[in-house]
Protein backbone atom coordinates (compact mmCIF):
# COMPACT_ATOMS: atom_id res chain seq x y z
CA UNK A 1 0.00 0.00 0.00
CA UNK A 2 1.40 3.39 -0.96
CA UNK A 3 1.58 5.57 2.12
CA UNK A 4 2.75 8.88 0.78
CA UNK A 5 1.75 10.87 -2.29
CA UNK A 6 4.83 12.74 -3.46
CA UNK A 7 4.46 15.49 -6.02
CA UNK A 8 7.35 15.63 -8.44
CA UNK A 9 8.98 19.01 -8.71
CA UNK A 10 10.99 20.58 -11.49
CA UNK A 11 14.70 21.32 -11.27
CA UNK A 12 15.34 23.97 -8.66
CA UNK A 13 16.07 27.35 -10.15
CA UNK A 14 17.46 30.67 -8.99
CA UNK A 15 16.39 31.28 -5.40
CA UNK A 16 15.47 27.64 -4.80
CA UNK A 17 19.04 26.40 -5.49
CA UNK A 18 20.44 28.52 -2.68
CA UNK A 19 18.18 26.70 -0.20
CA UNK A 20 19.29 23.24 -1.27
CA UNK A 21 21.54 21.26 1.05
CA UNK A 22 21.88 17.53 0.46
CA UNK A 23 23.48 16.98 3.90
CA UNK A 24 20.70 18.48 5.99
CA UNK A 25 18.90 16.17 8.43
CA UNK A 26 15.39 14.89 7.77
CA UNK A 27 12.69 17.35 8.85
CA UNK A 28 8.93 17.14 8.31
CA UNK A 29 6.99 20.39 8.31
CA UNK A 30 3.23 20.90 8.27
CA UNK A 31 2.22 24.11 6.49
CA UNK A 32 -1.36 25.24 7.10
CA UNK A 33 -2.66 27.89 4.70
CA UNK A 34 -5.45 30.43 5.06
CA UNK A 35 -9.08 30.08 4.12
CA UNK A 36 -11.42 31.46 6.81
CA UNK A 37 -14.42 29.18 7.29
CA UNK A 38 -12.87 26.66 4.90
CA UNK A 39 -10.24 25.96 7.57
CA UNK A 40 -12.49 23.22 8.98
CA UNK A 41 -11.08 20.86 6.34
CA UNK A 42 -7.61 21.21 7.92
CA UNK A 43 -8.94 19.68 11.14
CA UNK A 44 -9.96 16.53 9.26
CA UNK A 45 -6.57 16.47 7.53
CA UNK A 46 -4.70 16.69 10.84
CA UNK A 47 -6.79 13.92 12.39
CA UNK A 48 -6.04 11.65 9.42
CA UNK A 49 -2.30 12.39 9.62
CA UNK A 50 -2.13 11.67 13.35
CA UNK A 51 -4.13 8.45 12.92
CA UNK A 52 -1.53 7.29 10.38
CA UNK A 53 1.31 8.10 12.77
CA UNK A 54 2.59 11.08 10.78
CA UNK A 55 3.90 13.85 13.01
CA UNK A 56 5.47 17.22 12.27
CA UNK A 57 8.87 18.45 13.42
CA UNK A 58 7.70 22.01 12.81
CA UNK A 59 4.38 23.73 12.13
CA UNK A 60 3.95 26.85 10.01
CA UNK A 61 0.57 28.57 9.93
CA UNK A 62 -1.09 31.60 8.44
CA UNK A 63 -4.55 33.06 9.07
CA UNK A 64 -6.98 30.29 10.09
CA UNK A 65 -4.12 27.84 9.56
CA UNK A 66 -2.23 29.62 12.34
CA UNK A 67 -5.06 28.93 14.79
CA UNK A 68 -5.44 25.29 13.71
CA UNK A 69 -1.66 24.85 13.69
CA UNK A 70 -1.27 26.35 17.16
CA UNK A 71 -3.81 23.94 18.68
CA UNK A 72 -2.15 20.97 16.96
CA UNK A 73 1.38 22.09 17.93
CA UNK A 74 0.25 22.50 21.55
CA UNK A 75 -1.06 18.95 21.81
CA UNK A 76 -0.19 16.87 18.71
CA UNK A 77 -2.41 13.95 19.63
CA UNK A 78 -5.87 12.72 18.76
CA UNK A 79 -7.08 14.05 22.10
CA UNK A 80 -5.82 17.52 21.26
CA UNK A 81 -7.37 17.39 17.81
CA UNK A 82 -10.73 16.26 19.18
CA UNK A 83 -10.86 19.52 21.11
CA UNK A 84 -10.15 21.37 17.86
CA UNK A 85 -12.87 19.35 16.16
CA UNK A 86 -15.28 20.32 18.96
CA UNK A 87 -14.32 23.97 18.53
CA UNK A 88 -15.19 23.91 14.83
CA UNK A 89 -18.38 21.92 15.30
CA UNK A 90 -19.74 24.58 17.66
CA UNK A 91 -18.42 27.55 15.68
CA UNK A 92 -20.70 29.83 13.69
CA UNK A 93 -20.23 33.14 11.97
CA UNK A 94 -21.96 35.12 14.76
CA UNK A 95 -19.33 33.96 17.25
CA UNK A 96 -16.58 36.02 15.66
CA UNK A 97 -18.63 38.28 13.39
CA UNK A 98 -21.66 39.43 15.42
CA UNK A 99 -24.76 40.57 13.56
CA UNK A 100 -25.18 44.28 12.98
CA UNK A 101 -28.24 46.38 12.20
CA UNK A 102 -26.98 47.53 8.82
CA UNK A 103 -27.05 45.15 5.86
CA UNK A 104 -23.85 43.67 4.44
CA UNK A 105 -23.49 46.18 1.60
CA UNK A 106 -23.93 49.18 3.92
CA UNK A 107 -21.47 47.77 6.45
CA UNK A 108 -18.73 47.59 3.84
CA UNK A 109 -19.55 51.10 2.61
CA UNK A 110 -19.52 52.81 6.02
CA UNK A 111 -16.55 54.72 7.38
CA UNK A 112 -14.15 52.90 9.65
CA UNK A 113 -11.22 50.50 9.52
CA UNK A 114 -13.31 47.32 9.63
CA UNK A 115 -16.81 45.88 9.44
CA UNK A 116 -16.57 43.81 12.62
CA UNK A 117 -14.82 44.33 15.96
CA UNK A 118 -11.97 41.99 16.81
CA UNK A 119 -13.08 40.90 20.26
CA UNK A 120 -15.01 37.86 19.04
CA UNK A 121 -11.93 36.42 17.36
CA UNK A 122 -9.68 37.26 20.31
CA UNK A 123 -12.09 35.62 22.76
CA UNK A 124 -12.21 32.50 20.59
CA UNK A 125 -8.40 32.28 20.72
CA UNK A 126 -8.34 32.79 24.51
CA UNK A 127 -10.98 30.13 25.14
CA UNK A 128 -9.22 27.36 23.21
CA UNK A 129 -5.53 28.01 23.88
CA UNK A 130 -4.19 27.96 27.42
CA UNK A 131 -0.67 28.84 26.28
CA UNK A 132 0.88 32.04 27.55
CA UNK A 133 3.30 32.14 24.63
CA UNK A 134 3.27 30.40 21.22
CA UNK A 135 6.91 29.57 21.85
CA UNK A 136 5.78 27.07 24.49
CA UNK A 137 4.12 24.62 22.07
CA UNK A 138 5.18 20.96 22.09
CA UNK A 139 6.18 21.27 18.42
CA UNK A 140 7.95 24.45 17.22
CA UNK A 141 5.46 26.85 15.66
CA UNK A 142 5.86 29.85 13.37
CA UNK A 143 3.02 32.20 12.50
CA UNK A 144 2.83 34.70 9.64
CA UNK A 145 1.28 38.16 9.68
CA UNK A 146 1.61 40.98 7.16
CA UNK A 147 2.79 44.55 7.64
CA UNK A 148 -0.18 46.57 6.41
CA UNK A 149 1.98 49.57 5.54
CA UNK A 150 4.81 47.90 3.61
CA UNK A 151 3.46 44.47 2.63
CA UNK A 152 6.35 42.71 4.38
CA UNK A 153 6.09 39.25 5.90
CA UNK A 154 6.28 39.38 9.70
CA UNK A 155 7.07 36.04 11.35
CA UNK A 156 6.44 35.11 14.97
CA UNK A 157 7.96 32.27 16.97
CA UNK A 158 7.03 33.79 20.30
CA UNK A 159 4.31 36.07 21.62
CA UNK A 160 0.90 35.96 23.27
CA UNK A 161 -1.54 33.84 21.26
CA UNK A 162 -4.24 36.48 21.70
CA UNK A 163 -2.08 39.01 19.85
CA UNK A 164 -0.09 36.88 17.41
CA UNK A 165 -2.87 34.59 16.18
CA UNK A 166 -5.30 37.50 15.93
CA UNK A 167 -2.82 39.49 13.83
CA UNK A 168 -2.30 36.52 11.49
CA UNK A 169 -6.07 36.19 10.92
CA UNK A 170 -7.12 39.87 10.87
CA UNK A 171 -8.64 40.02 7.38
CA UNK A 172 -8.30 43.61 6.11
CA UNK A 173 -11.62 45.42 6.15
CA UNK A 174 -13.31 42.61 8.09
CA UNK A 175 -11.34 42.84 11.37
CA UNK A 176 -9.32 45.79 12.71
CA UNK A 177 -5.56 45.63 12.17
CA UNK A 178 -3.40 45.39 15.29
CA UNK A 179 -0.38 47.46 16.27
CA UNK A 180 2.50 45.26 17.36
CA UNK A 181 6.14 46.27 17.79
CA UNK A 182 5.60 49.53 15.94
CA UNK A 183 3.96 47.81 12.98
CA UNK A 184 0.36 47.70 11.80
CA UNK A 185 -0.38 44.01 11.18
CA UNK A 186 -3.10 42.17 9.23
CA UNK A 187 -3.82 38.68 7.89
CA UNK A 188 -0.61 37.02 6.69
CA UNK A 189 -2.48 35.48 3.78
CA UNK A 190 -2.39 38.89 2.11
CA UNK A 191 1.30 38.41 1.31
CA UNK A 192 1.77 34.61 1.42
CA UNK A 193 -1.24 32.35 1.86
CA UNK A 194 0.75 29.11 1.42
CA UNK A 195 4.23 29.76 2.89
CA UNK A 196 6.03 26.60 1.85
CA UNK A 197 9.06 28.75 1.01
CA UNK A 198 9.38 29.50 4.73
CA UNK A 199 9.47 25.77 5.44
CA UNK A 200 12.33 25.40 2.96
CA UNK A 201 14.26 28.26 4.57
CA UNK A 202 13.83 26.54 7.95
CA UNK A 203 15.36 23.31 6.63
CA UNK A 204 12.34 21.15 5.77
CA UNK A 205 13.09 18.03 3.74
CA UNK A 206 9.43 16.99 3.39
CA UNK A 207 6.43 19.30 3.52
CA UNK A 208 2.78 18.50 4.07
CA UNK A 209 0.76 21.38 2.65
CA UNK A 210 -2.74 21.55 4.13
CA UNK A 211 -4.65 23.55 1.55
CA UNK A 212 -8.17 24.98 2.00
CA UNK A 213 -9.16 24.31 -1.60
CA UNK A 214 -7.32 22.98 -4.65
CA UNK A 215 -4.41 24.17 -6.84
CA UNK A 216 -6.94 24.70 -9.63
CA UNK A 217 -10.67 25.22 -9.26
CA UNK A 218 -13.27 25.95 -11.95
CA UNK A 219 -15.54 28.35 -10.08
CA UNK A 220 -18.85 29.84 -11.24
CA UNK A 221 -18.85 33.36 -12.62
CA UNK A 222 -19.09 36.03 -9.88
CA UNK A 223 -22.42 37.82 -9.71
CA UNK A 224 -21.37 40.88 -7.66
CA UNK A 225 -18.39 43.27 -7.72
CA UNK A 226 -17.24 42.14 -4.25
CA UNK A 227 -17.32 38.51 -5.40
CA UNK A 228 -15.21 39.47 -8.41
CA UNK A 229 -12.59 41.11 -6.19
CA UNK A 230 -12.43 38.09 -3.88
CA UNK A 231 -12.21 35.73 -6.87
CA UNK A 232 -9.27 37.70 -8.28
CA UNK A 233 -7.43 37.47 -4.96
CA UNK A 234 -8.12 33.73 -4.79
CA UNK A 235 -6.63 33.11 -8.23
CA UNK A 236 -3.59 35.25 -7.38
CA UNK A 237 -2.94 33.18 -4.27
CA UNK A 238 -3.35 29.90 -6.17
CA UNK A 239 -0.93 31.02 -8.87
CA UNK A 240 1.62 32.02 -6.23
CA UNK A 241 1.32 28.60 -4.58
CA UNK A 242 1.82 26.73 -7.86
CA UNK A 243 4.88 28.86 -8.57
CA UNK A 244 6.37 27.99 -5.17
CA UNK A 245 5.81 24.26 -5.70
CA UNK A 246 7.39 24.23 -9.14
CA UNK A 247 10.48 26.01 -7.81
CA UNK A 248 11.12 23.84 -4.76
CA UNK A 249 14.71 22.61 -4.36
CA UNK A 250 15.18 19.14 -5.82
CA UNK A 251 15.98 17.63 -2.40
CA UNK A 252 12.69 18.80 -0.87
CA UNK A 253 9.51 16.77 -1.41
CA UNK A 254 5.93 17.79 -0.78
CA UNK A 255 2.65 16.03 -0.13
CA UNK A 256 -0.28 18.20 -1.07
CA UNK A 257 -3.45 17.67 0.94
CA UNK A 258 -6.25 19.53 -0.81
CA UNK A 259 -10.02 19.70 -0.39
CA UNK A 260 -12.02 20.07 -3.62
CA UNK A 261 -15.28 20.43 -1.66
CA UNK A 262 -13.95 23.67 -0.17
CA UNK A 263 -13.32 25.36 -3.53
CA UNK A 264 -16.85 26.68 -3.97
CA UNK A 265 -17.23 27.82 -0.34
CA UNK A 266 -16.73 31.49 0.51
CA UNK A 267 -14.10 32.31 3.13
CA UNK A 268 -16.65 33.93 5.47
CA UNK A 269 -19.11 31.03 5.21
CA UNK A 270 -19.01 28.83 8.34
CA UNK A 271 -22.17 26.86 7.57
CA UNK A 272 -20.32 24.03 5.75
CA UNK A 273 -17.86 23.33 8.58
CA UNK A 274 -19.02 19.77 9.35
CA UNK A 275 -19.07 18.80 5.67
CA UNK A 276 -15.56 20.21 5.14
CA UNK A 277 -14.18 18.55 8.27
CA UNK A 278 -15.37 15.14 7.06
CA UNK A 279 -14.26 15.86 3.50
CA UNK A 280 -10.75 16.87 4.58
CA UNK A 281 -10.42 13.66 6.61
CA UNK A 282 -11.58 11.30 3.85
CA UNK A 283 -9.64 13.07 1.12
CA UNK A 284 -6.41 12.88 3.15
CA UNK A 285 -6.79 9.15 3.76
CA UNK A 286 -7.29 8.53 0.05
CA UNK A 287 -4.22 10.63 -0.82
CA UNK A 288 -2.04 8.86 1.76
CA UNK A 289 -3.22 5.48 0.44
CA UNK A 290 -2.41 6.49 -3.13
CA UNK A 291 -6.03 6.18 -4.24
CA UNK A 292 -6.22 9.85 -5.29
CA UNK A 293 -3.65 12.44 -6.31
CA UNK A 294 -4.18 16.22 -6.29
CA UNK A 295 -3.80 17.60 -9.78
CA UNK A 296 -1.74 20.59 -10.85
CA UNK A 297 -3.44 20.59 -14.22
CA UNK A 298 -6.28 23.06 -14.88
CA UNK A 299 -9.76 21.51 -15.12
CA UNK A 300 -10.96 20.57 -18.59
CA UNK A 301 -13.56 23.05 -19.76
CA UNK A 302 -15.13 23.63 -23.14
CA UNK A 303 -13.20 26.29 -25.01
CA UNK A 304 -14.30 27.77 -28.31
CA UNK A 305 -11.37 27.54 -30.69
CA UNK A 306 -10.71 29.91 -33.56
CA UNK A 307 -12.04 27.30 -36.01
CA UNK A 308 -15.27 26.99 -34.03
CA UNK A 309 -15.76 30.74 -34.09
CA UNK A 310 -14.97 30.89 -37.80
CA UNK A 311 -17.50 28.14 -38.52
CA UNK A 312 -20.15 29.98 -36.53
CA UNK A 313 -19.40 33.19 -38.42
CA UNK A 314 -19.56 31.40 -41.77
CA UNK A 315 -22.88 29.82 -40.89
CA UNK A 316 -24.26 33.27 -40.12
CA UNK A 317 -22.88 35.14 -43.13
CA UNK A 318 -24.00 32.41 -45.55
CA UNK A 319 -27.63 33.08 -44.71
CA UNK A 320 -29.69 35.29 -47.03
CA UNK A 321 -29.59 38.97 -46.11
CA UNK A 322 -33.24 38.99 -45.02
CA UNK A 323 -32.61 36.09 -42.61
CA UNK A 324 -29.58 37.83 -41.09
CA UNK A 325 -31.69 40.95 -40.51
CA UNK A 326 -34.42 38.85 -38.90
CA UNK A 327 -31.91 37.21 -36.51
CA UNK A 328 -30.49 40.57 -35.42
CA UNK A 329 -33.92 42.12 -35.03
CA UNK A 330 -35.56 39.30 -33.08
CA UNK A 331 -32.56 38.96 -30.75
CA UNK A 332 -33.17 42.54 -29.58
CA UNK A 333 -36.89 42.14 -29.00
CA UNK A 334 -38.21 41.57 -25.51
CA UNK A 335 -40.59 38.65 -24.90
CA UNK A 336 -44.19 39.80 -25.37
CA UNK A 337 -46.94 38.15 -23.39
CA UNK A 338 -50.00 37.13 -25.37
CA UNK A 339 -52.96 39.18 -24.20
CA UNK A 340 -56.41 37.57 -24.02
CA UNK A 341 -58.75 38.55 -26.86
CA UNK A 342 -61.89 40.34 -25.71
CA UNK A 343 -64.82 40.44 -28.05
Amino acid sequence: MKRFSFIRTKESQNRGESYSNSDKPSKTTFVLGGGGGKGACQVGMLIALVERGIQADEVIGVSVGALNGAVYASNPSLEGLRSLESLWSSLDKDTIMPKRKLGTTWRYAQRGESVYPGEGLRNLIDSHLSLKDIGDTAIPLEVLAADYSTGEEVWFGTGRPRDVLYASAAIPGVFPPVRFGGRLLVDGGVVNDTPIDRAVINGATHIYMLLCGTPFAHLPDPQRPLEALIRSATHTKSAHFRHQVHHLPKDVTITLLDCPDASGVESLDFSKKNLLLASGYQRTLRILDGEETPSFEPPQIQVHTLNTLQNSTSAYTSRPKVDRWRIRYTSKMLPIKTLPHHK
Side-chain angles (χ1 to χ4, degrees):
M1 180 185 297
K2 185 177 179 183
R3 186 168 186 175
F4 299 99
S5 174
F6 295 112
I7 297 174
R8 292 195 171 196
T9 59
K10 294 182 178 180
E11 283 281 317
S12 58
Q13 300 174 4
N14 302 328
R15 185 175 65 172
E17 291 181 347
S18 64
Y19 299 156
S20 179
N21 182 358
S22 58
D23 298 327
K24 62 186 177 184
S26 174
K27 181 179 181 180
T28 298
T29 301
F30 289 1
V31 179
L32 288 81
K38 297 186 287 187
C41 64
Q42 292 178 339
V43 182
M45 294 172 181
L46 288 169
I47 293 173
L49 289 169
V50 172
E51 284 184 350
R52 292 299 176 85
I54 302 171
Q55 292 281 8
D57 298 310
E58 181 184 38
V59 178
I60 292 175
V62 56
S63 194
V64 70
L67 176 59
N68 289 334
V71 175
Y72 164 76
S74 301
N75 185 0
S77 65
L78 283 178
E79 180 184 357
L81 290 175
R82 294 306 177 192
S83 67
L84 184 59
E85 181 182 18
S86 176
L87 182 161
W88 274 94
S89 296
S90 62
L91 185 63
D92 58 40
K93 185 176 179 180
D94 294 339
T95 304
I96 55 177
M97 290 176 282
K99 292 181 179 179
R100 306 281 293 275
K101 292 182 179 180
L102 294 175
T104 303
T105 303
W106 283 105
R107 289 201 301 267
Y108 280 97
Q110 67 183 347
R111 284 183 174 274
E113 60 184 2
S114 67
V115 174
Y116 299 99
E119 287 308 303
L121 180 55
R122 285 190 172 95
N123 292 338
L124 179 70
I125 294 168
D126 286 342
S127 63
H128 289 85
L129 273 174
S130 57
L131 294 172
K132 294 183 178 179
D133 194 293
I134 65 168
D136 297 333
T137 53
I139 298 175
L141 170 71
E142 281 201 345
V143 170
L144 173 62
D147 188 311
Y148 207 17
S149 301
T150 65
E152 295 175 276
E153 294 184 1
V154 181
W155 287 96
F156 292 93
T158 61
R160 287 201 312 166
R162 178 181 177 86
D163 298 325
V164 174
L165 298 181
Y166 173 83
S168 182
I171 304 171
V174 178
F175 299 115
V178 59
R179 291 201 174 275
F180 195 98
R183 292 177 179 267
L184 191 64
L185 302 181
V186 295
D187 190 333
V190 171
V191 291
N192 195 349
D193 202 46
T194 51
I196 57 177
D197 51 350
R198 183 69 177 187
V200 174
I201 292 172
N202 290 354
T205 56
H206 187 73
I207 299 170
Y208 285 88
M209 178 68 230
L210 282 65
L211 197 65
C212 297
T214 60
F216 277 103
H218 184 207
L219 303 175
D221 295 338
Q223 302 298 316
R224 297 177 179 84
L226 182 60
E227 291 178 5
L229 290 173
I230 295 174
R231 180 68 48 78
S232 299
T234 299
H235 288 321
T236 299
K237 292 176 180 180
S238 297
H240 180 236
F241 168 65
R242 296 193 300 269
H243 177 82
Q244 290 186 81
V245 170
H246 288 302
H247 289 80
L248 277 175
K250 57 187 176 183
D251 59 344
V252 177
T253 52
I254 183 169
T255 297
L256 172 62
L257 304 177
D258 67 344
C259 185
D261 287 338
S263 296
V265 179
E266 296 296 338
S267 296
L268 300 183
D269 181 1
F270 290 82
S271 65
K272 311 291 192 308
K273 54 185 183 294
N274 292 325
L275 168 66
L276 296 182
L277 198 153
S279 179
Y281 175 78
Q282 295 294 338
R283 173 74 167 170
T284 298
L285 291 180
R286 289 193 291 267
I287 291 174
L288 295 177
D289 291 340
E291 297 174 3
E292 295 179 3
T293 302
S295 176
F296 271 76
E297 298 298 324
Q300 296 297 318
I301 59 176
Q302 185 177 2
V303 179
H304 292 291
T305 63
L306 180 60
N307 290 336
T308 303
L309 294 175
Q310 287 176 339
N311 291 337
S312 299
T313 304
S314 299
Y316 172 76
T317 55
S318 62
R319 288 175 175 270
K321 185 175 181 180
V322 63
D323 288 344
R324 280 184 276 156
W325 171 85
R326 185 178 294 111
I327 292 173
R328 292 198 301 269
Y329 178 74
T330 55
S331 65
K332 296 179 181 179
M333 293 180 62
L334 295 174
I336 300 175
K337 293 183 179 180
T338 303
L339 297 176
H341 177 68
H342 297 284
K343 292 185 179 179

